[in-house]
Amino acid sequence: MAAPLASKAGSAGTTSKPPFPELDFRSGARVEELNKLIQEFTKHDQREYDDQRALEIHTAKDFIFSMLGMVQKLDQKLPVANEYLLLSGGVREGVVDIDLDELNVYARGTDYDMDFTLLVPALKLHDRNQPVTLDMRHSALCHSWLSLRLFDEGTISKWKDCCTIVDHVNGATNYFFSPTKVADWFYDSISIVLSEIQKKPQRGMPKVEKVEKNGTIISIILGVGSSRMLYDIVPVVSFKGWPAVAQSWLMENHFWDGKITEEEVISGFYLVPACSYKGKKDNEWRLSFARSEVQLKKCISSSLMQAYQACKAIIIKLLSRPKAISPYHLRSMMLWACDRLPANYLAQEDYAAHFLLGLIDDLQHCLVNKMCPNYFIPQCNMLEHLSEETVMLHARKLSSVRSDPAEHLRTAIEHVKAANRLTLELQRRGSTTSIPSPQSDGGDPNQPDDRLAKKLQQLVTENPGKSISVFINPDDVTRPHFRIDDKFF
């Protein structure tokens, strides 16, 4: 409740400055101090890349795309001209809605310096101009089975071995695309390709430090010069258009109305290899709106994004056991908050502390009520399967954060600073190493890559935190084909 206003008689000649610094009622923390701590966290969390680091990022990306081109050529299963979605941040950072309980724990600074998620379409349905109707008869909300009857005979023949087979009473056979079998095939194919690549190493080629199958995603850590980069590669099914189950969401008012077009928001969606709590892992896929979220992110204020990143850093550590809350839940709550609150309020540059406290309150409210609606399919409650014991355990942990947010922010700052120190130490050890392109085989390899490094440095500077959509032809992996939001390069 707002403090009562001073009487007009007593306010003559006075300023509007309050007699006390602005405090958080629950914890007693100074809002100004919380703002400064969030700014300090942001400063250490968002690193700047010099030309050498930009070149290392490009070298790793080039290696991953070359590898995927070779995977396509193994058995021609992947589309010949494919469109990937490259997201900054790994799966553990909540960039896509995939369960974290099957993933090995990797720590920034200890295991990697930068992390990315790459969505790789195994199948594409890109020729539809109407709402896409999926087979949701056997699955929970926000999930679907995928019958290959939607595809031609050639596609069915290629992917039969990655399907579960259901015979109907009338004698017809239905092939359902299996996320677990697709992930097994993808991991085996990547392992074969990497084994072949490592038999004939080229000058400047990244070192493959780790290749692991984490549930249905493949995690690869590459060493390039003084950098270690984690790529979480996710096999997906890609659709143009919009799913019929989310059609009603388009009828509502949203914070992005008038800022970006509806066509940008509903340009496509994915099925990612994740099932519901009681679903059949071999058959069930989860709807993902990662492409839309890239667009919506452009409409979120920097102060709210800073609060979100700080809050995410706190909850990843605090709520890791048992795994019930993921950063994706927090992202959904942030999007709902953007719809709920006035745009001019969310645009306030010095309100990051208010936003952080609000996100913690929102998350605790969702836990206590065991209710977190999916932003695009609100009838899907993402916390429905949790036990009362689990939600109350996490709610109590959050209560400790809410009682002393400054201390938890300081801990998050120390963690990110420690990770950066480990990265800098590795950089110092490898600072004398020159990093040419993996394609280089002699001559003067650095000249074209130096120019590309400078371009990448400029792109990173101009587009902090943005996601990259990549269109690549596996028959020509020497040229970059990538897009940052709506700009092509």
Side-chain angles (χ1 to χ4, degrees), residues 128-157:
R128 301 198 163 199
N129 295 317
Q130 57 187 11
V132 181
T133 302
L134 298 168
D135 186 354
M136 297 181 163
R137 294 170 298 171
H138 315 286
S139 53
L141 269 171
C142 215
H143 296 79
S144 179
W145 290 22
L146 182 68
S147 170
L148 288 195
R149 284 190 296 184
L150 296 170
F151 299 86
D152 57 63
E153 286 299 323
T155 301
I156 294 173
S157 177

PDB file of all heavy atoms in Angstrom, residues 128-157:
ATOM      1  N   ARG A 128       2.289 -25.712 -45.420  1.00  0.00           N
ATOM      2  CA  ARG A 128       0.899 -25.586 -44.982  1.00  0.00           C
ATOM      3  C   ARG A 128       0.552 -24.139 -44.690  1.00  0.00           C
ATOM      4  O   ARG A 128       1.308 -23.430 -44.029  1.00  0.00           O
ATOM      5  CB  ARG A 128       0.654 -26.448 -43.739  1.00  0.00           C
ATOM      6  CG  ARG A 128       0.963 -27.912 -44.015  1.00  0.00           C
ATOM      7  CD  ARG A 128       0.326 -28.804 -42.982  1.00  0.00           C
ATOM      8  NE  ARG A 128       0.290 -30.170 -43.502  1.00  0.00           N
ATOM      9  CZ  ARG A 128      -0.499 -31.111 -43.047  1.00  0.00           C
ATOM     10  NH1 ARG A 128      -1.338 -30.852 -42.081  1.00  0.00           N
ATOM     11  NH2 ARG A 128      -0.480 -32.321 -43.553  1.00  0.00           N
ATOM     12  N   ASN A 129      -0.602 -23.695 -45.174  1.00  0.00           N
ATOM     13  CA  ASN A 129      -1.063 -22.326 -44.948  1.00  0.00           C
ATOM     14  C   ASN A 129      -2.282 -22.278 -44.041  1.00  0.00           C
ATOM     15  O   ASN A 129      -3.031 -21.310 -44.037  1.00  0.00           O
ATOM     16  CB  ASN A 129      -1.401 -21.662 -46.297  1.00  0.00           C
ATOM     17  CG  ASN A 129      -0.167 -21.504 -47.162  1.00  0.00           C
ATOM     18  OD1 ASN A 129       0.885 -21.118 -46.673  1.00  0.00           O
ATOM     19  ND2 ASN A 129      -0.297 -21.833 -48.430  1.00  0.00           N
ATOM     20  N   GLN A 130      -2.494 -23.335 -43.298  1.00  0.00           N
ATOM     21  CA  GLN A 130      -3.632 -23.394 -42.384  1.00  0.00           C
ATOM     22  C   GLN A 130      -3.158 -23.904 -41.034  1.00  0.00           C
ATOM     23  O   GLN A 130      -2.049 -24.429 -40.937  1.00  0.00           O
ATOM     24  CB  GLN A 130      -4.704 -24.336 -42.954  1.00  0.00           C
ATOM     25  CG  GLN A 130      -4.177 -25.738 -43.225  1.00  0.00           C
ATOM     26  CD  GLN A 130      -5.193 -26.612 -43.947  1.00  0.00           C
ATOM     27  OE1 GLN A 130      -6.199 -26.121 -44.416  1.00  0.00           O
ATOM     28  NE2 GLN A 130      -4.937 -27.910 -44.009  1.00  0.00           N
ATOM     29  N   PRO A 131      -3.973 -23.721 -39.972  1.00  0.00           N
ATOM     30  CA  PRO A 131      -3.553 -24.224 -38.660  1.00  0.00           C
ATOM     31  C   PRO A 131      -3.210 -25.713 -38.718  1.00  0.00           C
ATOM     32  O   PRO A 131      -3.916 -26.505 -39.339  1.00  0.00           O
ATOM     33  CB  PRO A 131      -4.786 -23.970 -37.782  1.00  0.00           C
ATOM     34  CG  PRO A 131      -5.487 -22.835 -38.446  1.00  0.00           C
ATOM     35  CD  PRO A 131      -5.258 -23.013 -39.918  1.00  0.00           C
ATOM     36  N   VAL A 132      -2.101 -26.072 -38.084  1.00  0.00           N
ATOM     37  CA  VAL A 132      -1.617 -27.453 -38.130  1.00  0.00           C
ATOM     38  C   VAL A 132      -2.332 -28.266 -37.050  1.00  0.00           C
ATOM     39  O   VAL A 132      -2.291 -27.928 -35.869  1.00  0.00           O
ATOM     40  CB  VAL A 132      -0.092 -27.500 -37.897  1.00  0.00           C
ATOM     41  CG1 VAL A 132       0.407 -28.939 -37.960  1.00  0.00           C
ATOM     42  CG2 VAL A 132       0.627 -26.635 -38.929  1.00  0.00           C
ATOM     43  N   THR A 133      -2.997 -29.325 -37.469  1.00  0.00           N
ATOM     44  CA  THR A 133      -3.693 -30.206 -36.528  1.00  0.00           C
ATOM     45  C   THR A 133      -2.821 -31.414 -36.239  1.00  0.00           C
ATOM     46  O   THR A 133      -2.409 -32.126 -37.159  1.00  0.00           O
ATOM     47  CB  THR A 133      -5.040 -30.663 -37.100  1.00  0.00           C
ATOM     48  OG1 THR A 133      -5.844 -29.516 -37.401  1.00  0.00           O
ATOM     49  CG2 THR A 133      -5.788 -31.542 -36.105  1.00  0.00           C
ATOM     50  N   LEU A 134      -2.522 -31.627 -34.966  1.00  0.00           N
ATOM     51  CA  LEU A 134      -1.652 -32.721 -34.557  1.00  0.00           C
ATOM     52  C   LEU A 134      -2.458 -33.825 -33.875  1.00  0.00           C
ATOM     53  O   LEU A 134      -3.585 -33.598 -33.406  1.00  0.00           O
ATOM     54  CB  LEU A 134      -0.576 -32.201 -33.601  1.00  0.00           C
ATOM     55  CG  LEU A 134       0.375 -31.157 -34.197  1.00  0.00           C
ATOM     56  CD1 LEU A 134       1.190 -30.494 -33.090  1.00  0.00           C
ATOM     57  CD2 LEU A 134       1.304 -31.791 -35.222  1.00  0.00           C
ATOM     58  N   ASP A 135      -1.879 -35.012 -33.802  1.00  0.00           N
ATOM     59  CA  ASP A 135      -2.548 -36.164 -33.196  1.00  0.00           C
ATOM     60  C   ASP A 135      -2.305 -36.142 -31.691  1.00  0.00           C
ATOM     61  O   ASP A 135      -1.307 -36.655 -31.194  1.00  0.00           O
ATOM     62  CB  ASP A 135      -1.998 -37.446 -33.823  1.00  0.00           C
ATOM     63  CG  ASP A 135      -2.758 -38.680 -33.354  1.00  0.00           C
ATOM     64  OD1 ASP A 135      -3.626 -38.544 -32.460  1.00  0.00           O
ATOM     65  OD2 ASP A 135      -2.492 -39.772 -33.864  1.00  0.00           O
ATOM     66  N   MET A 136      -3.257 -35.527 -30.960  1.00  0.00           N
ATOM     67  CA  MET A 136      -3.106 -35.394 -29.515  1.00  0.00           C
ATOM     68  C   MET A 136      -4.030 -36.342 -28.744  1.00  0.00           C
ATOM     69  O   MET A 136      -4.217 -36.195 -27.540  1.00  0.00           O
ATOM     70  CB  MET A 136      -3.385 -33.947 -29.092  1.00  0.00           C
ATOM     71  CG  MET A 136      -2.397 -32.968 -29.699  1.00  0.00           C
ATOM     72  SD  MET A 136      -2.717 -31.271 -29.188  1.00  0.00           S
ATOM     73  CE  MET A 136      -1.152 -30.506 -29.615  1.00  0.00           C
ATOM     74  N   ARG A 137      -4.566 -37.322 -29.447  1.00  0.00           N
ATOM     75  CA  ARG A 137      -5.520 -38.240 -28.793  1.00  0.00           C
ATOM     76  C   ARG A 137      -4.853 -39.088 -27.712  1.00  0.00           C
ATOM     77  O   ARG A 137      -5.504 -39.487 -26.743  1.00  0.00           O
ATOM     78  CB  ARG A 137      -6.134 -39.174 -29.842  1.00  0.00           C
ATOM     79  CG  ARG A 137      -7.018 -38.489 -30.868  1.00  0.00           C
ATOM     80  CD  ARG A 137      -7.377 -39.437 -31.979  1.00  0.00           C
ATOM     81  NE  ARG A 137      -6.190 -39.887 -32.706  1.00  0.00           N
ATOM     82  CZ  ARG A 137      -6.196 -40.866 -33.619  1.00  0.00           C
ATOM     83  NH1 ARG A 137      -7.318 -41.517 -33.868  1.00  0.00           N
ATOM     84  NH2 ARG A 137      -5.087 -41.210 -34.232  1.00  0.00           N
ATOM     85  N   HIS A 138      -3.565 -39.366 -27.871  1.00  0.00           N
ATOM     86  CA  HIS A 138      -2.892 -40.299 -26.958  1.00  0.00           C
ATOM     87  C   HIS A 138      -2.038 -39.597 -25.914  1.00  0.00           C
ATOM     88  O   HIS A 138      -1.356 -40.262 -25.132  1.00  0.00           O
ATOM     89  CB  HIS A 138      -1.982 -41.246 -27.751  1.00  0.00           C
ATOM     90  CG  HIS A 138      -2.603 -41.814 -28.981  1.00  0.00           C
ATOM     91  ND1 HIS A 138      -3.564 -42.808 -28.944  1.00  0.00           N
ATOM     92  CD2 HIS A 138      -2.415 -41.515 -30.298  1.00  0.00           C
ATOM     93  CE1 HIS A 138      -3.935 -43.099 -30.186  1.00  0.00           C
ATOM     94  NE2 HIS A 138      -3.244 -42.332 -31.019  1.00  0.00           N
ATOM     95  N   SER A 139      -2.024 -38.263 -25.918  1.00  0.00           N
ATOM     96  CA  SER A 139      -1.020 -37.573 -25.100  1.00  0.00           C
ATOM     97  C   SER A 139      -1.636 -36.451 -24.273  1.00  0.00           C
ATOM     98  O   SER A 139      -2.780 -36.050 -24.476  1.00  0.00           O
ATOM     99  CB  SER A 139       0.084 -36.999 -25.999  1.00  0.00           C
ATOM    100  OG  SER A 139      -0.463 -36.202 -27.018  1.00  0.00           O
ATOM    101  N   ALA A 140      -0.833 -35.942 -23.347  1.00  0.00           N
ATOM    102  CA  ALA A 140      -1.258 -34.832 -22.498  1.00  0.00           C
ATOM    103  C   ALA A 140      -1.240 -33.532 -23.295  1.00  0.00           C
ATOM    104  O   ALA A 140      -0.662 -33.447 -24.387  1.00  0.00           O
ATOM    105  CB  ALA A 140      -0.327 -34.729 -21.296  1.00  0.00           C
ATOM    106  N   LEU A 141      -1.860 -32.499 -22.733  1.00  0.00           N
ATOM    107  CA  LEU A 141      -1.841 -31.178 -23.361  1.00  0.00           C
ATOM    108  C   LEU A 141      -0.410 -30.728 -23.633  1.00  0.00           C
ATOM    109  O   LEU A 141       0.497 -31.012 -22.847  1.00  0.00           O
ATOM    110  CB  LEU A 141      -2.522 -30.158 -22.451  1.00  0.00           C
ATOM    111  CG  LEU A 141      -4.019 -29.938 -22.660  1.00  0.00           C
ATOM    112  CD1 LEU A 141      -4.568 -29.074 -21.547  1.00  0.00           C
ATOM    113  CD2 LEU A 141      -4.283 -29.293 -24.018  1.00  0.00           C
ATOM    114  N   CYS A 142      -0.222 -30.013 -24.727  1.00  0.00           N
ATOM    115  CA  CYS A 142       1.087 -29.480 -25.112  1.00  0.00           C
ATOM    116  C   CYS A 142       2.018 -30.569 -25.634  1.00  0.00           C
ATOM    117  O   CYS A 142       3.220 -30.337 -25.813  1.00  0.00           O
ATOM    118  CB  CYS A 142       1.755 -28.725 -23.952  1.00  0.00           C
ATOM    119  SG  CYS A 142       2.711 -27.306 -24.499  1.00  0.00           S
ATOM    120  N   HIS A 143       1.478 -31.758 -25.872  1.00  0.00           N
ATOM    121  CA  HIS A 143       2.254 -32.874 -26.390  1.00  0.00           C
ATOM    122  C   HIS A 143       1.509 -33.518 -27.550  1.00  0.00           C
ATOM    123  O   HIS A 143       0.297 -33.329 -27.699  1.00  0.00           O
ATOM    124  CB  HIS A 143       2.519 -33.919 -25.304  1.00  0.00           C
ATOM    125  CG  HIS A 143       3.349 -33.412 -24.169  1.00  0.00           C
ATOM    126  ND1 HIS A 143       2.811 -32.628 -23.155  1.00  0.00           N
ATOM    127  CD2 HIS A 143       4.667 -33.550 -23.883  1.00  0.00           C
ATOM    128  CE1 HIS A 143       3.782 -32.318 -22.301  1.00  0.00           C
ATOM    129  NE2 HIS A 143       4.904 -32.863 -22.713  1.00  0.00           N
ATOM    130  N   SER A 144       2.225 -34.289 -28.350  1.00  0.00           N
ATOM    131  CA  SER A 144       1.594 -34.916 -29.506  1.00  0.00           C
ATOM    132  C   SER A 144       2.406 -36.114 -29.965  1.00  0.00           C
ATOM    133  O   SER A 144       3.624 -36.178 -29.770  1.00  0.00           O
ATOM    134  CB  SER A 144       1.479 -33.904 -30.646  1.00  0.00           C
ATOM    135  OG  SER A 144       0.891 -34.501 -31.796  1.00  0.00           O
ATOM    136  N   TRP A 145       1.718 -37.067 -30.574  1.00  0.00           N
ATOM    137  CA  TRP A 145       2.372 -38.090 -31.364  1.00  0.00           C
ATOM    138  C   TRP A 145       2.464 -37.570 -32.797  1.00  0.00           C
ATOM    139  O   TRP A 145       1.740 -36.646 -33.179  1.00  0.00           O
ATOM    140  CB  TRP A 145       1.571 -39.391 -31.343  1.00  0.00           C
ATOM    141  CG  TRP A 145       1.568 -40.099 -30.016  1.00  0.00           C
ATOM    142  CD1 TRP A 145       1.812 -39.560 -28.796  1.00  0.00           C
ATOM    143  CD2 TRP A 145       1.284 -41.483 -29.795  1.00  0.00           C
ATOM    144  NE1 TRP A 145       1.697 -40.504 -27.813  1.00  0.00           N
ATOM    145  CE2 TRP A 145       1.372 -41.715 -28.405  1.00  0.00           C
ATOM    146  CE3 TRP A 145       0.956 -42.545 -30.625  1.00  0.00           C
ATOM    147  CZ2 TRP A 145       1.159 -42.959 -27.833  1.00  0.00           C
ATOM    148  CZ3 TRP A 145       0.735 -43.796 -30.067  1.00  0.00           C
ATOM    149  CH2 TRP A 145       0.845 -44.006 -28.686  1.00  0.00           C
ATOM    150  N   LEU A 146       3.354 -38.140 -33.591  1.00  0.00           N
ATOM    151  CA  LEU A 146       3.488 -37.704 -34.975  1.00  0.00           C
ATOM    152  C   LEU A 146       3.494 -38.919 -35.897  1.00  0.00           C
ATOM    153  O   LEU A 146       4.427 -39.720 -35.887  1.00  0.00           O
ATOM    154  CB  LEU A 146       4.781 -36.902 -35.178  1.00  0.00           C
ATOM    155  CG  LEU A 146       4.983 -36.353 -36.596  1.00  0.00           C
ATOM    156  CD1 LEU A 146       3.964 -35.265 -36.905  1.00  0.00           C
ATOM    157  CD2 LEU A 146       6.396 -35.833 -36.784  1.00  0.00           C
ATOM    158  N   SER A 147       2.434 -39.024 -36.696  1.00  0.00           N
ATOM    159  CA  SER A 147       2.330 -40.117 -37.658  1.00  0.00           C
ATOM    160  C   SER A 147       3.052 -39.743 -38.952  1.00  0.00           C
ATOM    161  O   SER A 147       2.902 -38.620 -39.455  1.00  0.00           O
ATOM    162  CB  SER A 147       0.862 -40.423 -37.956  1.00  0.00           C
ATOM    163  OG  SER A 147       0.766 -41.318 -39.059  1.00  0.00           O
ATOM    164  N   LEU A 148       3.807 -40.680 -39.496  1.00  0.00           N
ATOM    165  CA  LEU A 148       4.485 -40.418 -40.764  1.00  0.00           C
ATOM    166  C   LEU A 148       3.532 -40.475 -41.949  1.00  0.00           C
ATOM    167  O   LEU A 148       3.950 -40.250 -43.089  1.00  0.00           O
ATOM    168  CB  LEU A 148       5.631 -41.417 -40.964  1.00  0.00           C
ATOM    169  CG  LEU A 148       6.861 -41.240 -40.079  1.00  0.00           C
ATOM    170  CD1 LEU A 148       8.039 -42.046 -40.628  1.00  0.00           C
ATOM    171  CD2 LEU A 148       7.281 -39.782 -39.953  1.00  0.00           C
ATOM    172  N   ARG A 149       2.240 -40.734 -41.696  1.00  0.00           N
ATOM    173  CA  ARG A 149       1.273 -40.685 -42.797  1.00  0.00           C
ATOM    174  C   ARG A 149       1.147 -39.281 -43.370  1.00  0.00           C
ATOM    175  O   ARG A 149       0.630 -39.095 -44.466  1.00  0.00           O
ATOM    176  CB  ARG A 149      -0.094 -41.166 -42.307  1.00  0.00           C
ATOM    177  CG  ARG A 149      -0.159 -42.681 -42.145  1.00  0.00           C
ATOM    178  CD  ARG A 149      -1.555 -43.178 -41.909  1.00  0.00           C
ATOM    179  NE  ARG A 149      -2.107 -42.694 -40.651  1.00  0.00           N
ATOM    180  CZ  ARG A 149      -3.286 -43.047 -40.166  1.00  0.00           C
ATOM    181  NH1 ARG A 149      -4.062 -43.870 -40.855  1.00  0.00           N
ATOM    182  NH2 ARG A 149      -3.715 -42.580 -39.012  1.00  0.00           N
ATOM    183  N   LEU A 150       1.630 -38.274 -42.616  1.00  0.00           N
ATOM    184  CA  LEU A 150       1.627 -36.898 -43.126  1.00  0.00           C
ATOM    185  C   LEU A 150       2.678 -36.701 -44.211  1.00  0.00           C
ATOM    186  O   LEU A 150       2.676 -35.674 -44.894  1.00  0.00           O
ATOM    187  CB  LEU A 150       1.894 -35.917 -41.980  1.00  0.00           C
ATOM    188  CG  LEU A 150       0.852 -35.840 -40.865  1.00  0.00           C
ATOM    189  CD1 LEU A 150       1.383 -35.010 -39.703  1.00  0.00           C
ATOM    190  CD2 LEU A 150      -0.438 -35.243 -41.390  1.00  0.00           C
ATOM    191  N   PHE A 151       3.587 -37.689 -44.380  1.00  0.00           N
ATOM    192  CA  PHE A 151       4.718 -37.525 -45.282  1.00  0.00           C
ATOM    193  C   PHE A 151       4.617 -38.500 -46.453  1.00  0.00           C
ATOM    194  O   PHE A 151       3.776 -39.402 -46.482  1.00  0.00           O
ATOM    195  CB  PHE A 151       6.034 -37.742 -44.520  1.00  0.00           C
ATOM    196  CG  PHE A 151       6.247 -36.770 -43.401  1.00  0.00           C
ATOM    197  CD1 PHE A 151       5.728 -36.996 -42.132  1.00  0.00           C
ATOM    198  CD2 PHE A 151       6.947 -35.595 -43.609  1.00  0.00           C
ATOM    199  CE1 PHE A 151       5.915 -36.100 -41.097  1.00  0.00           C
ATOM    200  CE2 PHE A 151       7.142 -34.683 -42.584  1.00  0.00           C
ATOM    201  CZ  PHE A 151       6.620 -34.931 -41.331  1.00  0.00           C
ATOM    202  N   ASP A 152       5.504 -38.317 -47.431  1.00  0.00           N
ATOM    203  CA  ASP A 152       5.497 -39.176 -48.617  1.00  0.00           C
ATOM    204  C   ASP A 152       6.149 -40.522 -48.320  1.00  0.00           C
ATOM    205  O   ASP A 152       6.781 -40.721 -47.279  1.00  0.00           O
ATOM    206  CB  ASP A 152       6.205 -38.484 -49.787  1.00  0.00           C
ATOM    207  CG  ASP A 152       7.633 -38.087 -49.426  1.00  0.00           C
ATOM    208  OD1 ASP A 152       8.447 -38.999 -49.141  1.00  0.00           O
ATOM    209  OD2 ASP A 152       7.945 -36.877 -49.420  1.00  0.00           O
ATOM    210  N   GLU A 153       6.016 -41.445 -49.277  1.00  0.00           N
ATOM    211  CA  GLU A 153       6.534 -42.805 -49.096  1.00  0.00           C
ATOM    212  C   GLU A 153       8.046 -42.819 -48.911  1.00  0.00           C
ATOM    213  O   GLU A 153       8.583 -43.631 -48.160  1.00  0.00           O
ATOM    214  CB  GLU A 153       6.137 -43.683 -50.298  1.00  0.00           C
ATOM    215  CG  GLU A 153       4.666 -44.078 -50.310  1.00  0.00           C
ATOM    216  CD  GLU A 153       4.263 -44.902 -49.084  1.00  0.00           C
ATOM    217  OE1 GLU A 153       5.091 -45.725 -48.634  1.00  0.00           O
ATOM    218  OE2 GLU A 153       3.149 -44.716 -48.600  1.00  0.00           O
ATOM    219  N   GLY A 154       8.740 -41.924 -49.621  1.00  0.00           N
ATOM    220  CA  GLY A 154      10.195 -41.871 -49.496  1.00  0.00           C
ATOM    221  C   GLY A 154      10.632 -41.537 -48.076  1.00  0.00           C
ATOM    222  O   GLY A 154      11.570 -42.138 -47.537  1.00  0.00           O
ATOM    223  N   THR A 155       9.917 -40.595 -47.463  1.00  0.00           N
ATOM    224  CA  THR A 155      10.240 -40.206 -46.082  1.00  0.00           C
ATOM    225  C   THR A 155       9.942 -41.354 -45.120  1.00  0.00           C
ATOM    226  O   THR A 155      10.743 -41.648 -44.214  1.00  0.00           O
ATOM    227  CB  THR A 155       9.429 -38.959 -45.675  1.00  0.00           C
ATOM    228  OG1 THR A 155       9.745 -37.886 -46.567  1.00  0.00           O
ATOM    229  CG2 THR A 155       9.737 -38.539 -44.255  1.00  0.00           C
ATOM    230  N   ILE A 156       8.811 -42.018 -45.322  1.00  0.00           N
ATOM    231  CA  ILE A 156       8.458 -43.152 -44.465  1.00  0.00           C
ATOM    232  C   ILE A 156       9.513 -44.242 -44.557  1.00  0.00           C
ATOM    233  O   ILE A 156       9.955 -44.808 -43.546  1.00  0.00           O
ATOM    234  CB  ILE A 156       7.070 -43.704 -44.849  1.00  0.00           C
ATOM    235  CG1 ILE A 156       5.979 -42.659 -44.543  1.00  0.00           C
ATOM    236  CG2 ILE A 156       6.775 -45.009 -44.109  1.00  0.00           C
ATOM    237  CD1 ILE A 156       4.599 -43.051 -45.043  1.00  0.00           C
ATOM    238  N   SER A 157       9.954 -44.514 -45.776  1.00  0.00           N
ATOM    239  CA  SER A 157      10.960 -45.560 -45.987  1.00  0.00           C
ATOM    240  C   SER A 157      12.267 -45.213 -45.273  1.00  0.00           C
ATOM    241  O   SER A 157      12.898 -46.074 -44.647  1.00  0.00           O
ATOM    242  CB  SER A 157      11.198 -45.735 -47.490  1.00  0.00           C
ATOM    243  OG  SER A 157      12.207 -46.695 -47.715  1.00  0.00           O
TER     244      SER A 157
END
